[in-house]
Amino acid sequence: MIQTLHSDNRRLVIVSNRLPVTIQKDDDEWSIRAGAGGLVTALAPVVQKNKGLWIGWPGCTEDAPVEHLLDSLEQEQGYRMVSVPLSEDEVEQYYRGFSNETLWPLFHDLLGNTRFSRQTWQVYRSVNARFAETICCETQEEDFVWIHDYQLLLTGHYLRQKCPKQRAAFFLHIPFPSLDLFRRLPWKQDLLQGLLAYDLVGFQTLRDRRNFVQCVRELVPGVHIDIRRRVTRLTLGERTVVVGHFPISIDFDEFNEGARAQEVAEAAWYLHENLGKRQLMLGIDRLDYTKGIPERFLAFERALEKYPDLQRQISLLQVVVPSRTLVPDYQNLKEVLDGLAGRINARFSHQGWVPIHYVFRSLDRVQLLAHYRSCEIALISPLRDGMNLVAKEYCASSVDGNSVLILSEFAGAADQLGSGALLVNPYDIEATADAIYRAFTMPLEKRQRRMKLLRHQIRRTDVHRWVEWFMGSWPALKRSLSTDAGLV
Ligand code: GDG
């Protein structure tokens, strides 16, 4: 079902740090292609249906002919895209700096990785104000503006200053930290006030929503808090902000059907054949210290040590997708992973068997699905994660229904998948090693029962449901929403 807004002149405007496109220059020739990924798949039909708009940074240098390239894609996309250009210095300070060196680690409970800099904060504010200016120029009062993620926490605040009547909603894709952590931030009041400028604020989990409400209770005087089961209402003077939790998901059918394709089945067969007749355990993550990859390697090492019958019978296939490689913490992490994989492989390798197959690159779609399909176990053990879509994609692609998901209790996905997955604390190396052994020895019937539960849960609450659910919780939108049944 696609959500539509009743009135003809009402549009849905999506705003995110990045536009859903990739712009490249090869041999002096610029090219553009549409972005992929769950969020785009879910939102694009809704934006198309509502003759909407997507606003964001195009992710390329300033010399690219962005307007021309975006225009050329408009027909194919079915909606208009508006660029917010950023200079190299702004990208450095707003994106790599405040967003990725302050907010990202702090919101993932990793205070030790968090840097505080007044300079990057100032640029973060000015870029958020620029996004608000663009929204103001491009929208009308009747439009509904839906802003995404931690790079744009303050955009609602500037939008309210410039266009006081503009309604806007916000969804945070990463966790919201506890009061104890949040209060370390020198600009905590500004960020909370920024979030309170939205009409609807959505989080991934109930815990995130509670953390936010507790921060507001302690740090913002004069707010009336009305907690209900589905949403919390925060009233400040004349204004009410609705706060809810809406766990994001994936397009279940796309993975379920994609994984059955002949080319995926063949690629999965080759992958397994190359790595021998043993169980494969998968890890797929962006290079990020929140994903708990070193701890995972250590847990696997401990499992091989503690349960020698695992040796030669299981391999860990770890795909690390390069990401934020210009940030020093990410470069260090890469070195740590190289060192650990080398040491563990040197310690345990045997003729014809390597314990850790570690690749540092991204996979194309067929290979991604083939990895999901061919690995008997997935070990997804982030130290903290807003949701973790890989866990959901793995289950949706497990069309044979006999694989096992080991999942960190600190991933948002654990709330929904806890009954079918083996939950682990990734800091507890011993217990994670035990979970690996438990997964390895789990009888087929039990695997099938658990995977059936997981697949049912993910199918029932897929990403299309997420969009409906979020938009349906928007008080102003609720009154003007119509559901266009029959269209998917
Ligand atoms: C943020 C939050 C939240 C991965 N490797 C390859 C590849 N991927 C795709 C996966 C998946 C996506 O990247 C990763 O999504 P995650 O949810 O796991 O993680 P983040 O990128 O950190 O996303 C997170 C999410 O936002 C949504 O709200 O769940 O908690 O941190 O879709 O499939 N795709 C391809 N090749 C790869 O090698 N093609």
Side-chain angles (χ1 to χ4, degrees):
M1 284 194 289
I2 294 180
Q3 297 287 3
T4 53
L5 312 173
H6 258 322
S7 156
D8 276 350
N9 51 6
R10 254 175 202 187
R11 299 173 308 168
L12 177 66
V13 179
I14 301 292
V15 187
S16 60
N17 170 53
R18 280 290 302 270
L19 280 174
V21 294
T22 306
I23 294 179
Q24 262 178 321
K25 190 180 191 180
D26 294 311
D27 300 331
D28 279 349
E29 186 99 12
W30 286 99
S31 65
I32 185 167
R33 59 192 157 79
L39 189 64
V40 182
T41 314
L43 291 176
V46 192
V47 185
Q48 280 160 5
K49 185 81 192 159
N50 291 290
K51 301 181 200 75
L53 195 65
W54 199 310
I55 296 175
W57 171 49
C60 55
T61 48
E62 286 174 290
D63 58 328
V66 173
E67 303 311 323
H68 170 73
L69 291 165
L70 292 177
D71 284 352
S72 69
L73 201 65
E74 192 178 322
Q75 197 75 14
E76 184 191 319
Q77 299 273 81
Y79 55 85
R80 203 158 76 77
M81 283 178 288
V82 174
S83 135
V84 182
L86 298 180
S87 70
E88 186 45 45
D89 183 57
E90 284 170 332
V91 174
E92 185 58 40
Q93 311 231 28
Y94 140 82
Y95 178 65
R96 289 190 204 112
F98 196 77
S99 299
N100 288 341
E101 291 186 351
T102 305
L103 293 175
W104 177 268
L106 186 74
F107 280 36
H108 284 89
D109 300 350
L110 296 169
L111 192 57
N113 295 73
T114 308
R115 290 187 185 83
F116 300 99
S117 148
R118 179 155 293 276
Q119 195 183 343
T120 60
W121 159 245
Q122 300 289 8
V123 180
Y124 180 85
R125 288 174 55 193
S126 66
V127 170
N128 270 250
R130 175 109 48 82
F131 268 82
E133 265 162 38
T134 309
I135 298 168
C136 252
C137 292
E138 295 291 337
T139 57
Q140 293 135 18
E141 241 175 59
E142 309 76 43
D143 293 341
F144 291 92
V145 177
W146 185 1
I147 297 173
H148 289 259
D149 227 359
Y150 65 104
Q151 301 92 350
L152 302 177
L153 294 170
L154 295 180
T155 302
H157 164 77
Y158 292 112
L159 189 60
R160 193 159 289 284
Q161 282 183 352
K162 290 172 210 296
C163 306
K165 292 199 175 149
Q166 184 68 64
R167 297 183 185 102
F170 178 81
F171 184 77
L172 184 68
H173 290 256
I174 66 173
F176 194 87
S178 66
L179 172 64
D180 243 15
L181 275 166
F182 188 73
R183 57 206 283 237
R184 315 290 167 98
L185 194 68
W187 311 284
K188 52 185 176 285
Q189 307 280 357
D190 307 68
L191 286 187
L192 285 184
Q193 294 290 353
L195 281 170
L196 291 172
Y198 289 103
D199 298 290
L200 168 65
V201 179
F203 296 97
Q204 298 272 26
T205 67
L206 180 58
R207 182 185 305 269
D208 299 321
R209 171 178 144 198
R210 282 186 180 148
N211 282 347
F212 173 68
V213 171
Q214 203 197 352
C215 288
V216 171
R217 180 180 287 124
E218 297 295 324
L219 301 171
V220 184
V223 180
H224 177 261
I225 300 175
D226 173 14
I227 299 177
R228 307 200 179 162
R229 203 169 69 82
R230 302 304 297 257
V231 292
T232 301
R233 286 167 188 277
L234 305 177
T235 308
L236 306 91
E238 305 272 278
R239 292 196 52 246
T240 295
V241 185
V242 175
V243 181
H245 64 285
F246 311 91
I248 197 169
S249 195
I250 57 161
D251 185 334
F252 180 89
D253 291 338
E254 202 185 304
F255 282 88
N256 182 37
E257 283 154 25
R260 291 173 203 269
Q262 186 64 24
E263 56 178 342
V264 170
E266 281 167 15
W269 184 85
Y270 275 118
L271 187 69
H272 220 301
E273 196 63 11
N274 275 336
L275 297 176
K277 294 209 179 320
R278 54 182 60 98
Q279 290 196 34
L280 297 181
M281 183 164 67
L282 180 67
I284 295 193
D285 312 81
R286 272 188 310 101
L287 178 71
D288 201 297
Y289 49 80
T290 61
K291 301 289 182 185
I293 314 172
E295 291 78 1
R296 185 178 313 163
F297 283 6
L298 291 175
F300 185 50
E301 178 183 35
R302 179 69 188 128
L304 295 174
E305 197 177 66
K306 188 170 178 182
Y307 303 104
D309 51 323
L310 287 179
Q311 294 181 24
R312 285 184 264 178
Q313 300 306 322
I314 184 170
S315 283
L316 171 61
L317 182 48
Q318 177 66 54
V319 179
V320 177
V321 181
S323 159
R324 303 178 193 172
T325 40
L326 295 176
V327 177
D329 281 355
Y330 290 72
Q331 292 162 351
N332 296 342
L333 175 61
K334 167 85 172 53
E335 283 169 25
V336 169
L337 294 179
D338 292 347
L340 274 175
R343 184 177 65 69
I344 297 168
N345 281 344
R347 182 173 170 201
F348 290 100
S349 284
H350 221 275
Q351 202 177 15
W353 173 64
V354 177
I356 302 180
H357 293 267
Y358 161 48
V359 289
F360 186 64
R361 65 182 164 88
S362 71
L363 306 173
D364 66 24
R365 182 91 186 149
V366 170
Q367 278 300 324
L368 179 74
L369 293 172
H371 277 66
Y372 286 151
R373 222 190 132 166
S374 62
C375 292
E376 285 82 359
I377 303 168
L379 176 53
I380 298 174
S381 50
L383 304 179
R384 192 83 175 90
D385 217 329
M387 181 54 52
N388 196 297
L389 296 181
V390 171
K392 293 186 172 182
E393 292 169 6
Y394 175 72
C395 299
S397 309
S398 175
V399 290
D400 306 311
N402 52 11
S403 31
V404 186
L405 173 67
I406 307 176
L407 179 64
S408 163
E409 59 182 285
F410 306 122
D415 285 8
Q416 292 172 296
L417 308 184
S419 51
L422 298 181
L423 290 190
V424 291
N425 170 356
Y427 293 99
D428 188 342
I429 304 293
E430 197 70 19
T432 309
D434 294 341
I436 293 172
Y437 191 65
R438 204 175 146 207
F440 177 81
T441 51
M442 191 179 285
L444 181 64
E445 193 204 330
K446 204 164 175 185
R447 287 175 176 230
Q448 286 173 331
R449 200 165 359 104
R450 283 175 169 266
M451 190 44 74
K452 197 170 168 191
L453 264 176
L454 290 168
R455 286 170 58 80
H456 175 71
Q457 170 68 16
I458 299 165
R459 189 195 298 260
R460 211 167 50 84
T461 54
D462 79 350
V463 73
H464 302 292
R465 185 74 214 293
W466 174 76
V467 173
E468 268 174 54
W469 196 9
F470 184 88
M471 290 175 65
S473 302
W474 200 337
L477 196 54
K478 208 174 194 167
R479 288 191 294 276
S480 60
L481 263 181
S482 75
T483 300
D484 198 354
L487 287 165
V488 175

